[in-house]
Amino acid sequence: MRMTEETVPEALDADAQLMLRFKAGDTEAFDQLFSKHTRAMINFAYRFVRDRQVAEELAQEIFLRVYEAASGYRVQSRFTTWLYRIATNVCLNEVRKPRFRAAHQPLSGQQAQDPGPVSGRSQNGGPQRLLERQAISRALKEALDRIPEKQRVAFILNKYEELSYAEVAGIMKISEKAVKSLIHRGKETLAQRLRPLMPELLDQ
Amino acid sequence: MNCSEAQELMGLLINGELSGERARDVRNHFASCDACAAGLTPLQWAEVLPAMDDRLEPSADFVLRFREKLEARREPWWKKLIAWGWPRQVAAAGALATLVLAGIFVIRYPRAPQDPAAYVGDIAVMEKLPFLEDMAVVSNLDLLEDFDTIENLPRLIKEADKN
């Protein structure tokens, strides 16, 4: 059965319309959603697990849940809000597993902050030479893996997935004000991890 | 995007006032321009992180693996059972047979309803004796336990008659 125009309001976002078409039995609509969001879901999961294979498994689990939830799907928000809520739950379930936590124990003290070999300031002068770009990137990624769970989710959804504060609030079921606060604290935590590596810079 | 434009917009990015494609352009500029990156503070580096992080592309067999998983979820239970392999099949069959036998036993031999009085023993039995309602008996219960007298009762009655 195909969805008629009467049952799919024009104002709906395109993805929600596809989901309603899939709910009505149009499997091609699901294929379109799958193709459109595959890359985003793999990368979203990767921010949490930092392992390609696991990230792909999680992305597949996200789409399986979308598939299975189709019969009960109702348009209450943007499709991406609904999709990322599923994705967030799947990813958090994974990183909360004792098996995952045991395999990703944070390093202690200086080890956790040390991004690896960096060139010395005294030899080269400017901060861009003090820390190689890769080292900064590695330090930040490691820091992102360790910031508190809610800060991490809000930061990833807003900065990586480019979702608005309102959308992040909808996904996390918290207020926009709380989202802003989480993101700000998340950035502060990341910056704190970098400061020992960039002592000559004053934070602005 | 040129350097001066990117540096102007960094303030807006830090304050969360820039989003979408514009924000992405600023991040990408700082992630690739050594001159601009030289002046970044740790907080600004945190803002640029998404442009420096890895971007994955799906593996070649990603769609195929998903289709297989989807088929596995959708196939009927008996097909899943066949796919289990014999050790699990035998264990499942044993568990099922035990359940069925237990069910048959329970249906065939239901527990007989028990008299609630049976749980309270002799006291309950004694409470049902009609003669306990007779005050003459109740007041002479000691006599009922005088077994010597009871045993010799016929002789005692005869002697009493003679007298």
Side-chain angles (χ1 to χ4, degrees):
Chain A
M1 190 182 86
R2 292 243 168 197
M3 213 63 190
T4 61
E5 283 184 11
E6 288 77 26
T7 52
V8 183
E10 288 291 320
L12 282 179
D13 69 281
D15 289 345
Q17 292 195 34
L18 284 172
M19 194 63 198
L20 286 176
R21 276 174 48 197
F22 173 52
K23 181 183 178 179
D26 181 359
T27 52
E28 198 180 301
F30 178 80
D31 292 343
Q32 287 183 43
L33 285 171
F34 181 82
S35 302
K36 185 176 177 183
H37 295 285
T38 291
R39 196 172 283 100
M41 289 301 107
I42 292 173
N43 279 286
F44 180 72
Y46 182 73
R47 308 293 161 228
F48 288 88
V49 295
R50 294 282 169 200
D51 181 304
R52 166 186 272 280
Q53 202 178 342
V54 179
E56 289 199 348
E57 294 291 318
L58 293 181
Q60 289 177 345
E61 179 60 30
I62 292 164
F63 283 111
L64 286 171
R65 290 196 189 186
V66 168
Y67 193 97
E68 287 167 349
S71 59
Y73 178 73
R74 282 192 177 81
V75 184
Q76 291 171 329
S77 56
R78 287 177 61 82
F79 174 78
T80 46
T81 304
W82 184 70
L83 178 65
Y84 275 104
R85 193 177 293 147
I86 293 174
T88 303
N89 287 338
V90 168
C91 293
L92 289 182
N93 282 347
E94 179 66 21
V95 298
R96 284 171 185 164
K97 283 179 184 168
R99 187 184 52 184
F100 182 89
R101 292 163 79 138
H104 296 81
Q105 281 286 339
L107 301 170
S108 59
Q110 183 59 35
Q111 254 186 311
Q113 294 179 343
D114 186 358
V118 294
S119 53
R121 181 193 184 197
S122 57
Q123 295 163 3
N124 301 305
Q128 77 279 14
R129 293 194 176 92
L130 175 66
L131 295 168
E132 291 174 2
R133 192 179 302 276
Q134 277 190 335
I136 292 175
S137 170
R138 192 161 60 237
L140 282 171
K141 281 187 272 184
E142 285 179 8
L144 183 60
D145 292 346
R146 293 183 186 108
I147 63 175
E149 190 176 279
K150 283 186 178 176
Q151 291 179 21
R152 189 180 180 191
V153 170
F155 185 87
I156 291 171
L157 287 171
N158 180 248
K159 303 298 178 188
Y160 280 86
E161 307 306 318
E162 300 179 345
L163 300 179
S164 68
Y165 291 135
E167 279 183 290
V168 178
I171 292 164
M172 297 180 74
K173 295 183 178 173
I174 54 176
S175 68
E176 280 188 49
K177 203 174 169 183
V179 170
K180 286 179 188 173
S181 170
L182 283 172
I183 292 170
H184 178 72
R185 282 188 283 139
K187 282 199 297 183
E188 277 291 345
T189 315
L190 292 176
Q192 274 172 19
R193 303 270 184 168
L194 269 192
R195 281 191 186 105
L197 307 171
M198 308 171 77
E200 75 288 353
L201 284 177
L202 289 173
D203 203 0
Q204 291 166 355
Chain B
M1 181 172 284
N2 61 40
C3 295
S4 62
E5 198 181 353
Q7 288 184 4
E8 271 180 37
L9 292 174
M10 176 50 98
L12 294 177
L13 188 65
I14 281 286
N15 292 331
E17 294 166 22
L18 212 59
S19 59
E21 199 175 338
R22 204 86 173 125
R24 208 178 313 142
D25 288 345
V26 176
R27 288 194 183 101
N28 287 338
H29 180 86
F30 279 95
S32 58
C33 175
D34 280 342
C36 288
L40 287 179
T41 64
L43 201 61
Q44 289 169 332
W45 270 118
E47 193 67 60
V48 176
L49 172 61
M52 298 190 297
D53 211 335
D54 313 314
R55 281 271 157 192
L56 303 185
E57 289 296 319
S59 302
D61 63 344
F62 181 82
V63 177
L64 183 69
R65 284 190 287 130
F66 176 72
R67 293 282 167 214
E68 284 172 358
K69 280 187 185 176
L70 193 57
E71 284 305 311
R73 292 251 180 129
R74 288 164 68 192
E75 69 188 10
W77 64 270
W78 54 270
K79 274 196 174 179
K80 288 180 186 170
L81 196 66
I82 290 169
W84 272 6
W86 72 266
R88 282 180 74 188
Q89 284 171 351
V90 169
L96 187 66
T98 307
L99 273 175
V100 170
L101 287 175
I104 291 170
F105 185 83
V106 167
I107 291 166
R108 177 119 194 196
Y109 305 103
R111 282 181 74 181
Q114 289 188 336
D115 181 0
Y119 290 104
V120 290
D122 295 344
I123 296 169
V125 173
M126 282 181 67
E127 280 174 353
K128 286 186 175 178
L129 296 178
F131 64 79
L132 285 178
E133 291 168 10
D134 186 340
M135 278 310 291
V137 175
V138 172
S139 57
N140 292 292
L141 275 176
D142 288 347
L143 285 175
L144 289 174
E145 292 179 0
D146 186 354
F147 297 112
D148 288 337
T149 306
I150 292 169
E151 225 172 70
N152 298 318
L153 200 58
R155 184 176 55 81
L156 292 171
I157 290 170
K158 277 181 188 173
E159 285 176 6
D161 286 343
K162 283 180 189 171
N163 294 332

